[in-house]
Amino acid sequence: MSLKLQPNMTQNAHDLQICEDYWAYDNKSNFIAHVEAVCRKHNISSHALFKEVAQCFAYLDDVRCDCCGYVCPVQNPADIPYFRSKPNWICEVCEYDMQQAYYSQ
């Protein structure tokens, strides 16, 4: 899998490990059980887990915008198989630009 994580400048190695453990979800088992296990491992609440995960930019480097080549950001593990199943992907910026060009004709 080519999921990449880019931590926030304020995150340390432990914070990154929390994010890596969260994103290690396999999309086959129970997601809630996975979240609970990550919280137990790091002795944090689910609120703290999601706050930390939100600080780290997660993206697929093998799914890129067909127009500009930007990497595909993911918000949760369920995004991964969804974006990989699409034959092509266009980022929000390029999609917006294409809509503006279409409607301005």
Side-chain angles (χ1 to χ4, degrees):
M1 175 161 54
S2 63
L3 175 76
K4 304 290 183 191
L5 300 176
Q6 184 177 345
N8 182 305
M9 290 176 52
T10 62
Q11 290 181 299
N12 60 33
H14 180 256
D15 300 336
L16 182 57
Q17 185 61 56
I18 291 170
C19 294
E20 287 174 353
D21 290 345
Y22 169 79
W23 283 103
Y25 177 66
D26 62 10
N27 280 302
K28 295 176 183 149
S29 58
N30 183 306
F31 179 70
I32 294 172
H34 172 74
V35 168
E36 290 172 345
V38 172
C39 290
R40 275 193 309 277
K41 178 180 179 180
H42 295 283
N43 196 27
I44 58 175
S45 68
S46 59
H47 176 75
L49 169 68
F50 289 118
K51 183 177 178 185
E52 201 60 56
V53 168
Q55 297 297 313
C56 189
F57 178 65
Y59 63 95
L60 299 172
D61 69 349
D62 63 338
V63 178
R64 294 184 174 261
C65 175
D66 285 351
C67 298
C68 70
Y70 184 68
V71 295
C72 180
V74 290
Q75 301 297 318
N76 62 65
D79 289 345
I80 296 170
Y82 170 74
F83 285 119
R84 287 227 167 97
S85 71
K86 297 179 82 163
N88 55 25
W89 176 73
I90 299 173
C91 72
E92 291 178 2
V93 173
C94 290
E95 186 175 0
Y96 177 81
D97 288 346
M98 289 186 330
Q99 288 174 355
Q100 293 303 310
Y102 176 80
Y103 289 118
S104 66
Q105 292 178 355

